[in-house]
Amino acid sequence: MQLFSYLIVWFSIIHCVVSIRQLNVQKEWYRYPGNPGVRIRLTKKGANHIKTVGIQIFNDYISQLKDYSTSMPFSQIGINGIVNLKKMHVKNYRAPQVSVLNFLPPRHIVLGLENLDIGLGSEFTANAVPIVVEGSLVGQITGMTVALTTELLTDVTGKMNAVVRNCSALIGNSHIVLNPTGPMSIFVKTFEPMINDSVRQRIPEMFCSRLQNLIEKNISKLFEFITKIDLEDYFPKASNVEKDVMNMFISHLAKGMYVDNRMITQPLITMDYIETNHQGEIHFESLSETTPFFPRLMEQMYREPLSDHMAHFYVSDHLLNSMLYQAYQDNRLALKIDESNLPNEMKSFVSTQCPTKKHQTYVCVGYLIPEIRHLYPDSTVSFAILPHGLPYVMFNRDGMTVDIKNRILTYAIPDDPAHLNNRSQILVFSINGQADITFAPTTESLNAHMNLNRFNVRLHRSAVRGIDESSIARLSPLSKTFIAPRLSSAVEKAVRFPMQDTIKFINPVIKNYDGFICLSTDFQLEKQKIEAIVRKSIEL
């Protein structure tokens, strides 16, 4: 009985079209908004790793600062004027020797950078009418300490934003050397102590303003990669000449699929972690309909202490149920299997006459159900698998269960090329069942194992005398021989973690709860990929 169970359970979990279907309210639906479909907790351990990578990128950014301009008044021996500094740039830079990150509930993060050095260069113009003197400037700032307080916020679009509430910088020592040109150069050299003090006062302002600009203008751009996660690129794609029904199915399913991960509340910062709550729904670009049900409260997560991992991802079964609903509405839950879209090693599955030279195996529909072979010799069989209700996913303490309802239309097709279009409908039957799926995480994916625990067949119509529900049960050996291995391979490809080129999971662990699962993991950010994202999106 497991042949169609494996097919339909898997196809129900992932397929979709375009006409909107009217569905009555389902008893399983949770009708009250307000709970997240995805909740993320970033612990202090994980935040410190992000800080380390971020400071490396920050150091690269600071070392390339240039084209900064400022001006300052001066007064010396009764002469008043203005010194203009332009094309100020960093000549050398020593990264901070100490960095500290602290959480300040309920929404602030404090970053401290201690003991960094900056070498500066600039052009200058000293203007004290009628005297104008030009030249260059070099300086060295040492022992600089910076403290930055940032508030994390959610904007009206559900994106993460940051506002720098306070930035202060203290300088241990500074030394400025002027190199004026022209006959008044000796006169300008007398201004060096005054200019040294002025630059010393302006450097913290310059440093903080640039840092504030870096954070406030670009943090939302960086978080766009989490707010909307496009899933299509994480699924295997079928080529134009693809003949493998499984690959075509997955490729069609994934087209335009994305996770709507907009934040639905303000971030919460405690002394131990940063928590963000997300919409956590799967949608398709081709369908704009909203999901008419909502996630349930993940109440059990508050009863257990956090493990010693960098991050914890809490995922409601609403994530998959929203996908199933959208897929059902977009008609991607329908599937046709025939000889044309099966790989060579599986083509005998739909044959009514085996073995033959064409099919190098003894396993086929005609062998398992002789009544079909006798009535339709030298033919093939095709199956149209149609959803007969909305599949529903439930996470529980053992893993996940999937309830499925499908109707199977079976056709006999003559093997004679002249009569390929003369197909005959021979069976209509439905399958209602429930499958258990358990997950075992790796660094790249969630390996899934599927087991059917309820499988009911009902025969609606038959054009073949002698066939009943027990006849259909004879197809069950095919599940182990052909379907199960391919489904396992397809599942491994389909449930790969997104953004693997950006973040690598280390020693992930799954915990199962009623209504949601928790993935706890350490991770490593890929610095080169993060730098590429920064270069692409950042405003310097």
Side-chain angles (χ1 to χ4, degrees):
M1 285 275 183
Q2 291 185 352
L3 163 64
F4 293 106
S5 71
Y6 277 116
L7 278 172
I8 297 166
V9 168
W10 176 246
F11 295 154
S12 298
I13 289 177
I14 13 183
H15 225 221
C16 308
V17 199
V18 190
S19 60
I20 301 300
R21 305 180 183 185
Q22 297 300 318
L23 281 176
N24 295 326
V25 175
Q26 308 288 299
K27 64 179 181 179
E28 300 92 349
W29 289 358
Y30 188 72
R31 304 288 292 170
Y32 306 101
N35 298 317
V38 171
R39 173 175 281 146
I40 301 174
R41 283 182 173 176
L42 177 69
T43 66
K44 182 69 74 68
K45 179 181 176 182
N48 275 313
H49 173 66
I50 295 176
K51 178 206 69 176
T52 300
V53 175
I55 288 177
Q56 292 173 1
I57 297 173
F58 165 80
N59 291 335
D60 295 340
Y61 165 66
I62 293 299
S63 66
Q64 298 175 39
L65 279 178
K66 59 183 179 180
D67 295 332
Y68 187 80
S69 299
T70 187
S71 61
M72 59 199 74
F74 69 88
S75 178
Q76 188 78 6
I77 56 176
I79 300 176
N80 298 320
I82 296 177
V83 173
N84 297 306
L85 303 180
K86 59 182 181 179
K87 296 183 179 180
M88 186 178 289
H89 57 279
V90 173
K91 295 177 67 69
N92 54 73
Y93 174 74
R94 189 186 72 159
Q97 302 304 291
V98 178
S99 63
V100 180
L101 181 71
N102 288 310
F103 292 167
L104 185 62
R107 282 201 296 272
H108 293 84
I109 298 174
V110 180
L111 174 66
L113 305 175
E114 300 179 12
N115 198 18
L116 60 89
D117 301 339
I118 302 177
L120 299 173
S122 174
E123 298 177 3
F124 81 90
T125 302
N127 192 333
V129 179
I131 300 172
V132 177
V133 180
E134 297 181 342
S136 62
L137 172 154
V138 292
Q140 188 69 31
I141 308 296
T142 60
M144 186 173 178
T145 297
V146 179
L148 186 77
T149 301
T150 302
E151 183 179 8
L152 300 182
L153 297 168
T154 301
D155 66 18
V156 294
T157 67
K159 295 180 181 179
M160 174 85 82
N161 278 319
V163 179
V164 176
R165 297 303 185 187
N166 183 60
C167 181
S168 60
L170 300 176
I171 294 176
N173 295 285
S174 66
H175 180 66
I176 304 297
V177 176
L178 298 180
N179 298 302
T181 59
M184 299 298 293
S185 59
I186 296 178
F187 167 75
V188 174
K189 289 288 286 184
T190 63
F191 300 158
E192 276 188 351
M194 181 271 298
I195 293 176
N196 184 79
D197 290 339
S198 297
V199 170
R200 180 173 179 170
Q201 295 173 13
R202 290 297 177 95
I203 289 298
E205 174 190 335
M206 178 191 76
F207 197 88
C208 281
S209 65
R210 281 296 177 114
L211 198 53
Q212 181 174 355
N213 179 74
L214 172 70
I215 292 172
E216 294 185 345
K217 287 191 174 181
N218 298 287
I219 197 72
S220 63
K221 295 180 182 178
L222 296 176
F223 273 90
E224 285 178 357
F225 293 90
I226 298 176
T227 303
K228 180 181 178 182
I229 304 176
D230 294 316
L231 298 179
E232 183 173 352
D233 291 339
Y234 296 97
F235 287 79
K237 290 181 171 58
S239 65
N240 293 333
V241 295
E242 182 69 70
K243 296 299 183 182
D244 189 321
V245 61
M246 192 67 68
N247 289 344
M248 290 188 295
F249 173 81
I250 294 175
S251 180
H252 175 63
L253 160 75
K255 187 173 180 59
M257 182 191 291
Y258 68 93
V259 178
D260 179 359
N261 232 14
R262 290 174 294 174
M263 294 176 60
I264 62 173
T265 64
Q266 295 294 340
L268 172 65
I269 297 179
T270 72
M271 298 301 293
D272 300 313
Y273 57 81
I274 302 172
E275 179 180 287
T276 56
N277 295 294
H278 304 262
Q279 188 79 24
E281 288 188 356
I282 291 180
H283 291 271
F284 299 89
E285 297 287 359
S286 60
L287 194 66
S288 60
E289 186 185 10
T290 57
T291 305
F293 50 90
F294 305 94
R296 299 178 187 273
L297 178 66
M298 303 181 194
E299 56 182 349
Q300 293 165 301
M301 65 175 290
Y302 300 105
R303 302 173 187 171
E304 297 186 16
L306 293 177
S307 61
D308 185 27
H309 285 92
M310 291 182 175
H312 307 270
F313 300 89
Y314 301 87
V315 180
S316 168
D317 51 25
H318 177 77
L319 184 75
L320 291 179
N321 283 318
S322 65
M323 181 196 68
L324 290 174
Y325 176 82
Q326 299 291 336
Y328 184 80
Q329 295 293 52
D330 210 24
N331 276 338
R332 301 187 191 187
L333 292 174
L335 181 76
K336 179 183 178 182
I337 300 177
D338 60 28
E339 189 180 35
S340 68
N341 59 21
L342 289 174
N344 290 333
E345 67 272 19
M346 293 183 66
K347 289 186 182 296
S348 65
F349 164 38
V350 295
S351 175
T352 65
Q353 195 76 33
C354 58
T356 67
K357 293 181 180 179
K358 186 176 182 179
H359 305 117
Q360 302 298 320
T361 178
Y362 288 86
V363 182
C364 67
V365 172
Y367 175 80
L368 297 172
I369 307 180
E371 294 88 349
I372 295 179
R373 182 179 74 243
H374 295 153
L375 191 59
Y376 298 96
D378 297 319
S379 300
T380 59
V381 173
S382 69
F383 300 95
I385 305 176
L386 307 173
H388 193 52
L390 184 64
Y392 192 76
V393 169
M394 293 160 286
F395 286 143
N396 55 49
R397 291 189 175 273
D398 296 321
M400 184 176 79
T401 62
V402 184
D403 286 327
I404 53 96
K405 298 177 183 178
N406 287 271
R407 184 158 291 179
I408 315 297
L409 310 182
T410 309
Y411 298 87
I413 305 170
D415 224 9
D416 186 350
H419 299 90
L420 287 180
N421 294 326
N422 298 332
R423 65 175 188 170
S424 302
Q425 187 181 93
I426 57 176
L427 294 173
V428 177
F429 59 95
S430 59
I431 296 176
N432 295 338
Q434 185 181 83
D436 291 333
I437 300 177
T438 56
F439 297 110
T442 69
T443 56
E444 297 182 348
S445 65
L446 284 177
N447 289 342
H449 176 72
M450 190 159 26
N451 181 50
L452 190 70
N453 62 36
R454 189 178 74 243
F455 185 72
N456 300 321
V457 177
R458 180 185 176 190
L459 182 62
H460 296 281
R461 293 190 301 274
S462 173
V464 182
R465 182 172 299 184
I467 286 186
D468 54 20
E469 279 86 355
S470 63
S471 302
I472 300 173
R474 300 173 196 161
L475 296 172
S476 60
L478 291 172
S479 63
K480 183 176 181 180
T481 305
F482 291 105
I483 305 302
R486 298 191 61 80
L487 284 177
S488 297
S489 176
V491 168
E492 289 177 4
K493 294 178 181 178
V495 290
R496 296 174 64 84
F497 297 129
M499 303 177 67
Q500 289 187 40
D501 54 347
T502 303
I503 181 171
K504 296 291 186 183
F505 287 172
I506 301 172
N507 300 324
V509 176
I510 284 283
K511 284 188 176 181
N512 303 295
Y513 299 90
D514 292 331
F516 67 98
I517 60 173
C518 175
L519 174 67
S520 299
T521 185
D522 292 332
F523 61 86
Q524 178 178 335
L525 293 178
E526 298 297 316
K527 180 174 178 288
Q528 291 183 344
K529 179 61 177 180
I530 299 295
E531 286 179 332
I533 294 173
V534 170
R535 285 195 299 269
K536 181 178 179 180
S537 66
I538 212 165
E539 294 180 12
L540 296 176

